[in-house]
Amino acid sequence: MRAFVERSLACAIVSLAAGLSGPVVAQQPVQEPEEVIVRAKPLNRYRAEIELARDEMIKLFNEANEGEDNDVRCRYEAPTGSRIPERVCFSTSQDRAGANGARDFLGALFTSSGKGTGAGAPQVTAEIGAGAAQADAANADKAALAGFEAEWQRLMGTNQQFHNAVVKYRELEDEFDRAR
């Protein structure tokens, strides 16, 4: 009886194993995925290409625009609250408007300090002069920016080389944004 139970148990284990392996054997063979090639540039290469494209675009704009007031100059400035400089670019007329506005603002503060009678009179005079200087600077900056934008649009429509440089710059920026 013992031999019968052992044989029955062995047969049951073999049939269970065969039953479980049946669906595995019936499955289709696993296909290897095709070769996948990923070509990506490091982000610093994107940044370098964008920088070169921007320099080329600015160079072409400066060569083609009418008058020196619209020539673009770039420099590195650390924004308020940071020590890390960023590249900023302005037209000559925008730079001049900003410098004139700052000079007028300081001039209004200096000329009004100590003048007037009574408590608070110098402060009120300084605030009025500084406010007027700030308003004048803002108007001059708006006018300079409007002139720059008009010249930019004119060149986009008339200078094919400049137009292509702007398109290339925008495409590189879009490619960089997708890569990030």
Side-chain angles (χ1 to χ4, degrees):
M1 171 95 164
R2 190 169 188 206
F4 177 74
V5 172
E6 287 178 5
R7 282 190 199 140
S8 302
L9 185 60
C11 288
I13 291 173
V14 169
S15 62
L16 179 64
L20 291 176
S21 65
V24 172
V25 173
Q27 288 181 354
Q28 296 293 325
V30 177
Q31 293 181 352
E32 295 281 329
E34 292 184 26
E35 185 176 341
V36 176
I37 299 173
V38 177
R39 293 188 177 122
K41 293 186 270 189
L43 292 179
N44 62 349
R45 185 175 297 162
Y46 282 110
R47 289 184 189 107
E49 288 177 2
I50 289 171
E51 194 76 21
L52 290 173
R54 181 177 27 208
D55 290 345
E56 179 67 16
M57 180 179 62
I58 290 170
K59 183 185 98 177
L60 291 171
F61 179 80
N62 287 344
E63 289 172 357
N65 73 53
E66 294 177 352
E68 291 184 14
D69 279 348
N70 287 321
D71 281 355
V72 175
R73 303 284 181 248
C74 298
R75 63 180 174 264
Y76 287 91
E77 292 181 356
T80 303
S82 173
R83 293 183 184 192
I84 302 170
E86 294 177 359
R87 185 174 179 184
V88 294
C89 301
F90 296 103
S91 70
T92 304
S93 59
Q94 287 175 299
D95 243 0
R96 190 178 310 118
N100 290 342
R103 186 188 66 242
D104 293 347
F105 177 75
L106 287 175
L109 289 176
F110 286 134
T111 57
S112 64
S113 63
K115 293 184 180 178
T117 58
Q123 182 179 353
V124 172
T125 308
E127 288 173 0
I128 292 171
Q134 284 178 321
D136 291 345
N139 290 335
D141 192 45
K142 284 180 188 175
L145 182 59
F148 172 77
E149 288 175 347
E151 184 65 10
W152 186 277
Q153 290 301 322
R154 184 189 73 77
L155 285 178
M156 283 290 290
T158 60
N159 187 317
Q160 188 63 40
Q161 190 178 11
F162 175 67
H163 181 270
N164 292 343
V166 172
V167 169
K168 179 182 177 186
Y169 174 74
R170 290 300 306 157
E171 287 173 349
L172 286 171
E173 277 193 331
D174 292 342
E175 188 178 334
F176 174 70
D177 288 342
R178 284 191 304 271
R180 285 193 300 167

